[in-house]
Amino acid sequence: MIATAPLAARRIRRDLAVFFVVAFGLPWFVWITRIGDDHGWWGWHVPGSLALWSMLPGTFVVAAVTGGRAAVRDLARRVVRWDVGLRWYAVALGLPWVLVLGGTGLLLAIGGSAQFGAVMATGEALSYFLIGIPLFTLTEELAWCGFALPRLQGLLPALPASLVLGGIWALWHVPTFLLPSQTVSTVPYAGFALFVLAQSVLTTWLFNCTGGSVLLAGLFHAASDAVYAGCGAIGGDDRLFWFLTGLGCMAAVAVVLVEGPATLAGRSRTAVPEPARVSVAAPIPVS
């Protein structure tokens, strides 16, 4: 884990508090205007696309306010950190397929039918993936992995940091379950929250093993969403969703057992990202 002085820890908590107010406030405002419009409470709403894209300027502004130029540079470097080894690209792109094929196999074993193309056609899923790479990299993963995760790991070991972030991430999605236009609203929220916790552990593992690459986290997010939509896990057969959730949890447990809960990066100690405000947090690696 990473040990920090009491003063530095208080500053990290303050920075995280400011960040989460912004990360929740802007998207929730957009979603709430749509919920109110749908229910006839008022006759207008903010375009839904701004819910995610508001996180791009919001995260950089919080980084600048709390950490100055050093924090902004650190955040920007994480977004373009691409030279991380081909195997991690294979993990980011391949792991969702492994889970989907496993879940589909289980569905077939109990008499179900494959759901590929049932909710989203293959071409649409591919387009969704290509659009999702910049979308998720520059919005959700910029915020959760680029800003929040390194600071949480300045306070906690990697596993509890990823679980805390996963819980916050699941809570952040609550308004989308009140919007019928959101496909995710078709699955049980409890299952979704469990899925997000597992996804958070896997994303933290990928992030830490790539030296804190937001780009790889965004690639994994885009691949996961596109593959799960294309296989019908969201909006299709609910049994497939639960199979994927269970397999995702098993994959997360396997990562913890193999890599260790302290870093989720095994022996790759140097890969564990430090908080962006190095001069303030003064992180000290502890074996």
Side-chain angles (χ1 to χ4, degrees):
M1 62 177 290
I2 293 178
T4 57
L7 177 59
R10 286 197 296 270
R11 291 180 178 178
I12 292 174
R13 292 189 186 97
R14 179 202 63 191
D15 294 351
L16 284 169
V18 172
F19 164 75
F20 285 126
V21 167
V22 174
F24 273 72
L26 296 176
W28 276 34
F29 173 74
V30 174
W31 288 324
I32 288 172
T33 64
R34 181 55 187 266
I35 293 169
D37 193 12
D38 288 347
H39 285 79
W41 300 338
W42 45 72
W44 60 277
H45 66 269
V46 177
S49 61
L50 292 180
L52 288 184
W53 283 114
S54 66
M55 301 183 81
L56 172 59
T59 302
F60 272 106
V61 167
V62 173
V65 170
T66 61
R69 292 182 180 178
V72 172
R73 286 195 298 267
D74 176 83
L75 191 59
R77 284 195 295 265
R78 294 182 189 278
V79 173
V80 296
R81 190 164 292 163
W82 64 271
D83 190 11
V84 298
L86 289 177
R87 65 171 176 160
W88 295 112
Y89 283 92
V91 169
L93 295 173
L95 182 56
W97 276 108
V98 171
L99 298 177
V100 160
L101 293 176
T104 300
L106 291 173
L107 184 62
L108 293 174
I110 62 171
S113 59
Q115 300 290 300
F116 291 101
V119 177
M120 182 179 290
T122 301
E124 292 176 325
L126 178 59
S127 297
Y128 182 70
F129 167 67
L130 295 175
I131 293 171
I133 295 174
L135 174 64
F136 295 126
T137 299
L138 296 174
T139 58
E140 288 193 65
E141 300 308 335
L142 176 74
W144 307 133
C145 285
F147 188 94
L149 184 56
R151 288 161 177 80
L152 284 170
Q153 290 188 102
L155 301 172
L156 300 166
L159 178 59
S162 66
L163 293 175
V164 168
L165 185 59
I168 293 171
W169 190 11
L171 179 63
W172 179 81
H173 280 89
V174 164
T176 65
F177 281 78
L178 303 176
L179 291 169
S181 59
Q182 296 288 322
T183 306
V184 72
S185 66
T186 63
V187 302
Y189 179 76
F192 174 79
L194 185 61
F195 169 82
V196 169
L197 287 173
Q199 193 80 351
S200 183
V201 172
L202 295 174
T203 302
T204 299
W205 167 57
L206 186 65
F207 180 77
N208 284 358
C209 288
T210 56
S213 174
V214 170
L215 175 61
L216 265 290
L219 187 65
F220 179 54
H221 191 152
S224 297
D225 278 21
V227 171
Y228 297 159
C231 80
I234 306 295
D237 193 323
D238 283 347
R239 294 175 297 177
L240 180 56
F241 166 75
W242 284 108
F243 283 142
L244 284 179
T245 298
L247 290 173
C249 290
M250 292 173 63
V253 170
V255 165
V256 173
L257 293 177
V258 172
E259 303 286 13
T263 68
L264 295 182
R267 296 181 179 179
S268 302
R269 294 288 301 172
T270 57
V272 180
E274 297 179 346
R277 294 184 64 191
V278 174
S279 60
V280 172
I284 305 171
V286 177
S287 58

